[in-house]
Each structure stands twice: as C-alpha cells, then as structure tokens.
Amino acid sequence: MDASKFHIVIFPFMSQGHTIPLLDLSKALSRRGLKITIITTPSNALSIKPYVSQHSNIHLREIPFPKTQGLPEGCENMSQTSSPDHLLSFLNATKLLREPFEATLKEMCRHGDPPPTCVISDSFLGWTNASCHSLGVPRLVFNGMGVFAMAVKKALSIHQTHKGATHDGDIVDVQGVELSFHLLRRDLPRSLRVSDSGISEFFLEAERSDLGSFGVIANSFVELEKDHVLPLESLYGNGTRTFCVGPLFLYDLMEGDQNEIGHNGPNPSFKWAEWLNSRVKGKSVVYVSFGSQAHLRDEQLDELAYGLELSGEDYIWVVRTKTWRNPTNVVSGGTKGLIVREWVDQKLVLALWAVGGFLSHCGWNSVLESLASGVPILGWPMQAEQHLNAKYLVEELKAGIGLESGSAQDGKVVGREEISRGVKELMRGERGRKAREKAIELGRIAKRAVQVGGSSYKCLNEFIQSIG
C-alpha cells in the first residue's frame, strides 16, 4: 500500500460527541501515513487544532457557518446552544453548509495533492452523499450510534412499521433486523415516535439521503454487534460495506500517543481526582454523568441528589447546569459523595480503580468508554437513540441494568426511591455483579480489537484497501 496516494476528507457534525470519535479516526489513519483533511467551521477549528496538532498528516479546511435566525450569536456547535428549542434551528443551519462544502471539495478534486480518495461525513450531514456522488468521490457515512441502533433506525425509516404501534407498550416490528428481545414503542427515539415534527422530518431525510453510500464507518467492534452488521449492510443496499473499527478512542492507548488510561492516575490537582484516589475500597464508587446535551429540570436533579444519598453508596456526580442549587441536607464533597461542576475526563474517571459503576444516559460514546474499562452501567436513557442503546446493553449484552421505569422519557420525573434501588442493585446486587463480570469480559475484547491483528485493526486496514 502506497499511503502517499491516499487523501481522506472528514466532515464531522458540529457536536463534541460526533466530532471527537472522528478525530480519533483521523489520528489512527494518520499513523498509517494517510493524508487527512478535516472540513469544519472557524470556531470548531479552534477546538480541533490542539487535539490533532501532533499529527502533521492532518490538515484543517475552514468553511463559514451560516448566520441563522433562532440561534445565539456566534453559535457554531451544539454545545453553544442554550436551549433544547435551538436544536431544529441548528440542524437546519447545517444544510446551508452544502454550497461551501461542495466548493471546497471541488477545489480539492482539481488541485489536491493527491485529490480526495473518499469523504467520511457524519450521518446528520446526509446531503453530502449527493454532493460527493456528483463529483465522483466515494462517500462513507459515520454514525455516532452503534450498529444495532443504526440498523433499527434505518429499518424503521425505510419500512415505517413503527407507525403501527400507537401505545408506548406496543411491540414494534423491525423488518430486516432480528431481535432476541421485544422492542417497544417507548424504546424508540422521539423523532420516530412523534412523526409530525420538524426534527423528525430532518432525521428521516438524513436517513434516506445516505442510502447507497459507499460504506459505513462504525465506532464499534464486531464482537460486540456482529449479529447486526449484515442486516445494516442489506438495508443500505448497493453493496455498502460496514467497517467496525472501534472503539476509536482506544487507538491512542494502543499505538503510543499517551500512557494507558489510569496508569499514572489523573492530575491530582483536580479535586475529583484527589477525592477518587482517597477511596480505600476498589470498585466502590458510582460515577454519575449524563453527557453534554441532557437538560434535567431542577426537580429531577433534586430527586437524583436525594436518591444517591439514600443509596448509601459513594458517588461522584458531574452536574452540567450552573443554576441548580442542591438541597442543603445533601452532602457535597463529604465522605460519601462529591458533586463536580468542572470538566472531567470521563475516560480517566471510568478507568480508575475506585469506580465500580456508571449511572449513565447511555450515549454510545459513554457506553463504549464504560465497557472498555470493564464498568457496568445503570441505564437512564433520555433522548435520541439512548433508549435503544440501553435496551441492547441490558437485554442483549447483559453488561448493564436499567431503572425500573426504563427512562425519564418525555419529562417524567424519576423518584429518589427508584434511583436508590437502582444504584444499590448496580453496586451490590446480583444483577449488578453479573453485569460487572460481563463488562469486564467485553473490556478485554474491546482492547484486543484495536491491537495489531484484532478485528477492528483488520477492519481499518480493509477500509483503506477498499478505497485504494
């Protein structure tokens, strides 16, 4: 393979959860000698540059983010939106990136050295499939979800069989995807359950517009989701291949960019690191975090605070909102719990000896990070495909357990008693013990997958060969 002949263009969606895995992919490809160009907007470029600065093969091309009514001034990333009401405006704004994207890609096709071999773009940017096709450049879709969730969403967007389920407890028929458990209407993303909204229309359009893509890049590993790879490929049609190349964040660890996670411990100047390192008993702390996009009401945060205290378990809880004031009789930073409002490196936290469970929204990145560290999950899905991830994690992988109510869907407040029971079962119960054993097993497999000769390492090589 002559790596100098390859030039891979990567176009991430402007959200941390979507961008960071593609940056990890960029670095993994760069180490193999391939030229990478990341197309992004000026504000996002500022945050990307430090992440890839040590890789001379990775280049950035900036295109302007459109000024759009309904968004805060200067907003170029989902993290800069201040309300859930901004979501549709932001999604629609990304469609206006088509003209500058096509102009940039056309210029690289004419004058690139070498010209683009392929484009890998986010599934939310489905219109890039037609843009690439018009210029004769193969396009691969990157989806921040796992293979199972991708297959379910793709099948339902094509066949629309979910419309026959009208009540939350109704079983959904997913044509083309074999399930070992019942999938209920309540397990589906809101964009599928509420079909007459602008957000639903956006995602349906995105799902359909990427049909016929050259390939799918999946941040997963074959051993985790092998039963759903072929069904996903058949749903795409036209010989589309799925390349399971993850967990992408593990390549840094296995290929020498940094020390193994948790080997030397995090910077002790962080209060959370000092607190965790002070725990005497291993696997005794439950880590609580719901990602960057979840918006919990103060009433729900109160119930969570009381529920954690009621469980009697040690916990570290990352609180994103700056306005919530926790109840006065809940200890913060005491002997049992620590509430953190600063940024934490989740991968480092999960890999520390003290952490034995994760109360999570079940975003796919969080699922992968937790499993890679052998930490079982108490699933509390809230939005997007998180309900599908939680269902797969609990019912298929057996590496997690769920809350009794299943989720906090559609604004339902989960009570402190339910939270307490779930945390205690995760940390000390029989189901929690079995989930921990399975998570540890999957963690070993995940690490092997990205090592030389592993399934994901081979898939990455097969992807390169397929576009050569």
Side-chain angles (χ1 to χ4, degrees):
M1 181 190 78
D2 185 359
S4 65
K5 294 181 179 180
F6 290 84
H7 179 189
I8 297 177
V9 176
I10 292 183
F11 191 17
F13 179 73
M14 299 82 192
S15 171
Q16 294 303 96
H18 290 244
T19 298
I20 290 176
L22 280 175
L23 300 185
D24 291 331
L25 175 63
S26 299
K27 291 192 288 184
L29 292 169
S30 171
R31 291 190 200 97
R32 285 160 173 73
L34 279 65
K35 177 180 179 179
I36 310 296
T37 297
I38 299 171
I39 296 179
T40 189
T41 67
S43 176
N44 289 290
L46 291 175
S47 60
I48 289 174
K49 284 176 183 176
Y51 203 86
V52 298
S53 60
Q54 296 183 354
H55 294 259
S56 59
N57 285 348
I58 300 179
H59 310 270
L60 269 61
R61 288 289 296 269
E62 296 179 15
I63 59 176
F65 194 89
K67 292 185 177 180
T68 307
Q69 274 192 328
L71 289 179
E73 183 70 24
C75 177
E76 297 184 16
N77 190 285
M78 279 294 296
S79 64
Q80 296 168 330
T81 60
S82 55
S83 166
D85 297 333
H86 293 150
L87 175 58
L88 182 58
S89 295
F90 190 89
L91 292 173
N92 285 331
T94 62
K95 293 181 182 180
L96 302 178
L97 293 167
R98 181 167 187 164
E99 185 175 336
F101 168 78
E102 290 181 350
T104 300
L105 187 60
K106 188 177 296 184
E107 189 272 332
M108 285 193 285
C109 288
R110 289 174 176 170
H111 306 294
D113 183 22
T117 312
C118 72
V119 170
I120 301 173
S121 60
D122 193 278
S123 61
F124 284 14
L125 307 172
W127 48 264
T128 56
N129 191 28
S131 300
C132 294
H133 183 75
S134 67
L135 294 171
V137 180
R139 183 260 183 162
L140 294 96
V141 57
F142 173 80
N143 201 307
M145 297 183 286
V147 176
F148 167 73
M150 274 192 273
V152 169
K153 285 195 70 180
K154 186 65 67 182
L156 296 180
S157 71
I158 293 171
H159 301 297
Q160 297 286 297
T161 51
H162 60 291
K163 291 189 173 180
T166 56
H167 299 93
D168 280 352
D170 289 349
I171 297 172
V172 176
D173 174 28
V174 187
Q175 290 185 17
V177 180
E178 288 192 17
L179 303 175
S180 61
F181 50 86
H182 288 313
L183 197 64
L184 308 180
R185 183 181 181 274
R186 68 168 63 99
D187 300 318
L188 303 181
R190 181 176 172 81
S191 60
L192 288 172
R193 291 184 292 109
V194 183
S195 59
D196 58 348
S197 71
I199 292 175
S200 299
E201 292 173 5
F202 176 91
F203 286 120
L204 180 59
E205 180 184 339
E207 287 282 358
R208 290 176 172 171
S209 62
D210 72 7
L211 290 171
S213 294
F214 178 83
V216 179
I217 300 293
N219 188 13
S220 187
F221 50 105
V222 170
E223 295 88 343
L224 192 71
E225 302 189 275
K226 59 184 177 182
D227 291 340
H228 302 292
V229 172
L230 289 178
L232 180 63
E233 290 176 339
S234 67
L235 288 163
Y236 268 92
N238 298 324
T240 296
R241 170 82 189 278
T242 296
F243 300 95
C244 292
V245 297
L248 290 166
F249 76 91
L250 283 179
Y251 285 100
D252 269 359
L253 311 180
M254 302 302 168
E255 299 186 18
D257 258 24
Q258 61 188 59
N259 292 326
E260 184 174 352
I261 283 180
H263 178 67
N264 296 317
N267 188 333
S269 65
F270 291 124
K271 184 179 180 181
W272 57 266
E274 181 183 1
W275 188 88
L276 279 170
N277 287 332
S278 71
R279 299 302 95 182
V280 176
K281 186 179 178 183
K283 305 302 179 187
S284 62
V285 178
V286 59
Y287 169 61
V288 184
S289 179
F290 303 113
S292 59
Q293 298 301 317
H295 298 274
L296 275 69
R297 292 180 293 165
D298 286 357
E299 181 184 2
Q300 181 62 84
L301 293 171
D302 287 347
E303 288 299 304
L304 176 53
Y306 284 119
L308 290 171
E309 286 292 314
L310 189 61
S311 74
E313 302 293 332
D314 290 356
Y315 64 88
I316 175 172
W317 175 18
V318 180
V319 178
R320 304 284 181 184
T321 177
K322 297 178 180 179
T323 59
W324 177 69
R325 299 290 182 265
N326 73 332
T328 56
N329 62 334
V330 173
V331 177
S332 178
T335 57
K336 301 300 292 183
L338 176 67
I339 294 176
V340 182
R341 295 180 185 267
E342 65 194 33
W343 177 85
V344 303
D345 188 326
Q346 181 164 287
K347 293 186 289 292
L348 279 179
V349 172
L350 289 167
L352 289 177
W353 178 73
V355 177
F358 184 9
L359 174 51
S360 171
H361 63 309
C362 293
W364 188 244
N365 290 334
S366 290
V367 169
L368 288 177
E369 290 167 4
S370 197
L371 293 181
S373 291
V375 176
I377 289 175
L378 173 59
W380 188 347
M382 298 180 184
Q383 59 187 0
E385 91 292 353
Q386 294 163 11
H387 301 85
L388 296 174
N389 296 340
K391 191 87 170 185
Y392 191 71
L393 179 76
V394 173
E395 301 290 345
E396 181 74 19
L397 298 178
K398 311 292 186 184
I401 64 175
L403 291 170
E404 293 170 5
S405 62
S407 72
Q409 201 170 66
D410 296 334
K412 176 185 176 292
V413 174
V414 179
R416 65 191 71 178
E417 292 83 5
E418 181 178 348
I419 294 168
S420 173
R421 284 193 296 270
V423 170
K424 286 192 285 189
E425 179 61 35
L426 178 71
M427 301 302 288
R428 286 184 278 149
E430 180 64 15
R431 287 189 297 141
R433 183 188 65 79
K434 290 181 178 179
R436 183 169 293 104
E437 291 176 353
K438 189 60 184 290
I440 291 171
E441 176 189 346
L442 290 172
R444 295 192 186 107
I445 296 171
K447 291 181 175 68
R448 286 200 299 267
V450 299
Q451 292 174 340
V452 175
S455 62
S456 295
Y457 191 94
K458 289 179 179 177
C459 266
L460 195 58
N461 286 339
E462 290 169 9
F463 154 65
I464 295 169
Q465 293 166 4
S466 72
I467 59 173

